[in-house]
Amino acid sequence: MNIKSVLAASTAVMLAGPVMAEPTVEVLHWWTSGSEAQSVAVLQEQFKAEGGTWTDMPVAGGGGDAAMTALRARVLSGNAPTAVQLKGPAIQEWYEETGLADISAVAEENNWADVLPAQIAEHMKCEGQWCAAPVNVHRVNWLWGNKQILDDNGIEMPTTWDEFNAAAEKLQAAGITPLAHGGQSWQDATIFETVVLGLGGPEFFQKALIDLDPEALNSDTMKQVFDEMRIIRGYVDDNFSGRDWNLATAMVMNGEAAFQIMGDWAKGEFLAAGKEPGTDFVCAQTPGTGFLYNVDSFAFFELDGEEKQQGQALLAKLIMGPEFQKTFNLNKGSIPARTDIALDDFDSCAVESNKAMTAGAQNGSLLPSFAHGMALRGAQAGAITDVVTAHFNSDMSSDDAVQQLVDAVANSM
Ligand code: GAL
């Protein structure tokens, strides 16, 4: 460098004032479907607009199993990402294992405690300090239907599992695949938990999948749940194995199947394809009552470097920003985690979701999703999912499945 450019460079620094670290984040997440990518892009844009540098680390695989494996590998090799999509008890598990950055200053400055439902706020805390930031509330127990197919076949959205079975038989007789499903273990578990809720009711769900009460696990009701799972297995097409959830949603969209049982991230896909609720597709709670919630959130590892710490603080602040919570959730199919966002621009399914959540909080049927890592620690959730998948993909009897469930849960403690 000659003297002239040295001087020019130092003048530039002087003009710019004291050197501020530029907020930087590397964000590990599993939002790779069309609507998911569109949703996370909102955050990325806002982060960049605030002068930040975003490095994206998407790990494909619905439900996040692959992302969590990638996360573990990164942490074990001493290279933790600045921010990670993390939710439910996994937040506290990581906190215990490695520590997580304390974002209480951001949370307090922005009054998170005043705008979040207490139950959600609780998930975001580690030993009293804020250690995660929530982006949304997804409802898991949704049934999606292709309006045209249902109308053509004189079928109403079922409100009991018997009605669901009757509708499915009718569709099958007409040569239509009743249920679009992706045979991945988290999707099997998603159906399973809606059947547990529907056949057993909220109290049974609480006992079986949250309290892991041996009596509930080893009950006739649980046997009936596996009976229904076996029936449902008969309603999926031959190519269901390994299919991604959004491809199953596309089957309903394109008239290749009548129904899908999936959380309302499926609605994000319908909307991204320009489909209208009530016109092209219909939403209804899966047979039964209650609200299985799945709250997506981000947590931050304790890392050195001012630019990383500033990046974490900025990201946490943006995630809980009213504007972001609205735009993100319009794309994602969920509703805002903040209770002070008007839902005027949201569709009828979102409004219905919000109503059910409020009712659920009042009558005790607002329950954390087991299949989406909100209810149990990893070992227990994994043990149950393994049994559910093994049953779904074999001719295992319901009696054997119940026994395996009891044993697997006991062994996972
Ligand atoms: C869930 C997650 C949703 C959605 C879905 C499919 O676990 O909470 O936001 O991404 O997986 O990937």
Side-chain angles (χ1 to χ4, degrees), residues 30-33 36 61-65 85 87 135-136 138 140 186 245-246 262-266 294-297 328 332 334 371-374:
W30 65 87
W31 286 331
T32 56
S33 81
E36 289 175 330
D65 293 342
Q85 186 185 350
K87 56 186 173 162
V135 295
N136 63 2
H138 271 303
V140 177
W186 71 272
W245 66 272
N246 52 317
M262 187 50 65
D264 42 21
W265 45 95
N294 174 22
V295 175
D296 286 307
S297 47
F328 174 88
K332 188 72 170 68
S334 34
H372 292 275
M374 296 301 301

Side-chain angles (χ1 to χ4, degrees), residues 30 68 71-72 85-98 100 119-127 131-132 209-210 212 293-297 299 367-382:
W30 65 87
M68 291 300 102
L71 173 65
R72 188 150 291 279
Q85 186 185 350
L86 203 63
K87 56 186 173 162
I91 298 170
Q92 287 74 28
E93 284 185 279
W94 275 106
Y95 174 81
E96 286 160 19
E97 201 174 322
T98 62
L100 289 174
Q119 209 165 337
I120 293 184
E122 218 30 59
H123 284 290
M124 307 299 139
K125 293 193 177 161
C126 299
E127 291 184 340
C131 55
L209 296 183
I210 301 174
L212 301 179
Y293 68 84
N294 174 22
V295 175
D296 286 307
S297 47
L367 298 158
S369 159
F370 129 77
H372 292 275
M374 296 301 301
L376 298 171
R377 292 194 162 228
Q380 281 79 49

Side-chain angles (χ1 to χ4, degrees), residues 48-60:
K48 286 184 184 161
E50 297 282 334
T53 304
W54 173 295
T55 305
D56 208 31
M57 190 180 171
V59 181

